[in-house]
Amino acid sequence: MVNRKRLADTFKWLVAIDSVSREEYEISQAIQTVLAGMGATIRVDDAASRIGGNAGNVIARFDGAPSVPPLMLNAHMDTVEPGRGVRAIFEDGVFRSDGKTILGADDKSAVAVIIETMRIIRERGLPCGPVEVVLTVCEEIGLMGAKHLDFSLISARYGYALDASNTEGIVTRAPAANRFEIRVHGKAAHAGAAPEDGVNAILLASQAVAILTLGRIDAETTCNIGTIEGGTATNIIPDRVTLRGEVRSHDTEKLKQITDTIVSTFERVISAAATPGRGALPRVEWDIHPDFPATRIDPGHPVVTLAQRAAKNLGRTIQPQSTGGGADANIFFDKGIVTGVLGTGMKDMHTVRESVALEDMVRMTELMLEILRLHTEQHLDKASGE
C-alpha cells in the first residue's frame, strides 16, 4: 500500500529545504501547500513573534467521521546545525548526508511519514476520523515551538509524536528537567604583580563543581554542567565565571532535591571563601528555569494499547519505553494531550553520520495507517451500537 518511491522522494525533497531552528519559514510554506492540497484546513499560530523566529507552528486538520474523536500526529520542522545545504545520498536502502551536514531525518523522516500516511488515506478513500497534524518549530532549542503553541487550535486529547529511533517502542515515560545558570563573582587583580589582591572566581567555581555528583545520579536522574565561561586574560585573576547546566529526573522530588543541592553547594563554597575587608565578594547568583515537565503514561491508556494492537495486526510488537530525553510530547502531556512517542528508525541524530533506512519509514507509515484504521473502526462500532 505504501508508495516507497514517493515516500523516498518526499523525504529527499524535505531535507533539501534548509530549516534550522528559527528559520523554518520556507519548509513551513512548502508543507502547508502539500497538506492544503490534500484537503487539510491550515492554521498557523503566532509562536514566531514570541520566540524570535520566522515561522509559527502549523496545525493542519483533516476532517473525518464526526463520531470519531480526533487523533493528533506530531513532528517538528526544525533541524540542528550544520543543517544548511543538505545533500541526501541514498545507498543500499539507507539515506545519509554527504558527511558535511546532518541529514535532517530528525525530524523530517516523521514529516515524510505523516504526509505519505494522509496521502494514502485520501487517495484510497479509507475510512478515517479527524486527524490533527501538529508541526512545531524550534523543537531543537528547548521545545520552544511547543511551549508557545496555541493549544486552543487543537481538539485532540491524545495522539503520537514521531520523534524517536526505535520502531518497536513507544515512549511512555520521560523526565522533567530544570536548566540552571550559576554566576560566581570574584575580584580582578594582576595575576603576576598582586595575585593576593584578587579572588579567583574560576577557582571557587571549580571547588564547588568538584563536590557535586554529575552524570548518572540513579536510574531515573541525571545532572550535567555543560558550559563554563569566565576570565579575560591569562594575567588577570578572573572576577566572574558563569556555569550552565541541567538536571533531569522522572521523579519530581528528586529533581528539586538535586537542583537545591547544586545551589547550596555553591553557596557553601563561596561563603567559606569570604574574607574580612573584601565587602560582598565573593558572591554567587543563580537562576533556575523549569525546562519541561515529565511524561508518565499508563500502559493501559488507549494511546499505548492502540499502537500495540496495530503493531500486532502487522506481525510486530510495540513495547512501552522510558527515555532520558525530552520532546514536544512532554509539553503536550502537560497540557492534557496524552502523547506517545514513536520511532522512525533515524540514527545518530545531531551528527554528520545521521541516517535513516527507507524501510523503517515504510514500516512506520504502515503502522500509522493501521493505528488510524483501528481508531476509526472502534469508534464507528461504538457509534453504531455494535
Side-chain angles (χ1 to χ4, degrees), residues 7-214:
L7 177 58
D9 288 344
T10 298
F11 178 70
K12 286 189 290 185
W13 168 67
L14 289 168
V15 299
I17 304 173
D18 294 351
S19 60
V20 297
S21 301
R22 289 197 172 95
E23 298 178 19
E24 302 96 338
Y25 179 80
E26 185 179 354
I27 196 166
S28 173
Q29 292 297 306
I31 294 170
Q32 287 180 58
T33 298
V34 169
L35 296 180
M38 293 159 57
T41 300
I42 308 291
R43 299 288 298 275
V44 180
D45 68 13
D46 64 350
S49 63
R50 302 171 67 186
I51 59 181
N54 64 6
N57 299 300
V58 174
I59 299 90
R61 181 182 171 91
F62 290 89
D63 291 332
S67 60
V68 179
L71 199 67
M72 183 190 73
L73 303 181
N74 161 249
H76 63 86
M77 297 182 286
D78 63 316
T79 65
V80 299
E81 296 279 21
R84 302 171 192 272
V86 174
R87 180 170 168 263
I89 297 171
F90 186 61
E91 293 179 345
D92 300 323
V94 178
F95 285 102
R96 295 182 176 85
S97 75
D98 61 7
K100 298 177 182 177
T101 68
I102 52 101
L103 174 62
D106 180 11
D107 199 23
K108 293 177 182 177
S109 60
V111 178
V113 165
I114 291 171
I115 289 174
E116 178 64 17
T117 297
M118 299 313 300
R119 274 177 168 157
I120 292 170
I121 288 172
R122 285 320 200 221
E123 286 174 352
R124 294 176 175 263
L126 300 177
C128 190
V131 177
E132 295 176 342
V133 176
V134 180
L135 304 174
T136 59
V137 295
C138 294
E139 190 271 352
E140 299 287 11
I141 54 173
L143 317 179
M144 294 299 290
K147 289 176 181 177
H148 293 88
L149 178 65
D150 183 351
F151 281 90
S152 71
L153 300 177
I154 303 173
S155 56
R157 292 298 89 196
Y158 63 92
Y160 300 91
L162 280 60
D163 193 12
S165 297
N166 189 358
T167 58
E168 297 183 350
I170 179 169
V171 176
T172 57
R173 295 187 74 241
N178 286 339
R179 286 182 294 112
F180 60 82
E181 178 178 294
I182 296 176
R183 299 174 296 278
V184 177
H185 297 268
K187 182 181 178 183
H190 194 287
E196 60 279 348
D197 291 341
V199 178
N200 192 314
I202 291 178
L203 175 61
L204 293 177
S206 65
Q207 290 172 344
V209 171
I211 299 171
L212 297 173
T213 300
L214 301 177

Side-chain angles (χ1 to χ4, degrees), residues 291-374:
D291 200 6
F292 50 81
T295 294
R296 181 168 292 185
I297 303 174
D298 188 289
H301 190 280
V303 81
V304 179
T305 58
L306 182 60
Q308 290 179 319
R309 287 173 54 212
K312 184 177 180 180
N313 287 352
L314 296 170
R316 310 173 196 168
T317 59
I318 290 283
Q319 296 297 326
Q321 292 187 324
S322 176
T323 182
D328 284 344
N330 291 62
I331 307 302
F332 296 141
F333 185 82
D334 190 55
K335 296 293 185 179
I337 304 173
V338 179
T339 307
V341 183
L342 298 172
T344 64
M346 52 187 172
K347 296 178 172 61
D348 295 319
M349 296 81 76
H350 297 195
T351 77
V352 296
R353 302 182 306 279
E354 185 182 13
S355 66
V356 67
L358 176 59
E359 185 58 30
D360 282 335
M361 289 194 287
V362 170
R363 285 166 58 86
M364 181 49 57
T365 305
E366 292 170 341
L367 182 66
M368 295 313 305
L369 286 166
E370 185 63 9
I371 285 173
L372 289 168
R373 187 189 73 79
L374 287 176

